[in-house]
Amino acid sequence: MFSREIFSGRLKELIQQNKMTYSELAEILGVSTAQISDMANGKAGTSMERLYKLCEKFNVSADYLLGLTDEVRSLR
């Protein structure tokens, strides 16, 4: 089952590790800063297209972001 807590926690961690702001990530995804904040705080999920972009940007598998694995697997 999808866990927003896992997704949001991992998203926050990746944003911090990459020294990004919510505003910078919002621009990359084509959404508002408020939407990024909602995703990072577990108030909202994301679309498949945005999930794909997150995986590309942070070079992690969707399985990791979605909590299906705890192994951070690089896409490259």
Side-chain angles (χ1 to χ4, degrees), residues 41-69:
N41 290 306
K43 295 179 183 176
T46 191
S47 69
M48 293 294 287
E49 181 181 337
R50 288 186 205 119
L51 177 62
Y52 180 87
K53 288 180 181 180
L54 287 169
C55 292
E56 277 191 321
K57 174 61 188 165
F58 296 122
N59 192 31
V60 296
S61 71
D63 288 350
Y64 174 73
L65 271 174
L66 295 173
L68 297 171
T69 184

Side-chain angles (χ1 to χ4, degrees), residues 9-10 12 26 34-36 44 51-52 68 75-76:
R10 290 182 178 178
K12 273 189 203 178
Q35 285 177 290
I36 299 299
L51 177 62
Y52 180 87
L68 297 171
L75 298 177
R76 297 174 189 99

Side-chain angles (χ1 to χ4, degrees), residues 7-35:
F7 175 78
S8 65
R10 290 182 178 178
L11 178 60
K12 273 189 203 178
E13 186 178 290
L14 290 166
I15 291 168
Q16 290 171 352
Q17 286 174 355
N18 286 272
K19 297 178 173 54
M20 293 186 77
T21 65
Y22 287 0
S23 178
E24 290 169 329
L25 185 56
E27 188 173 324
I28 290 167
L29 297 182
V31 298
S32 69
T33 303
Q35 285 177 290

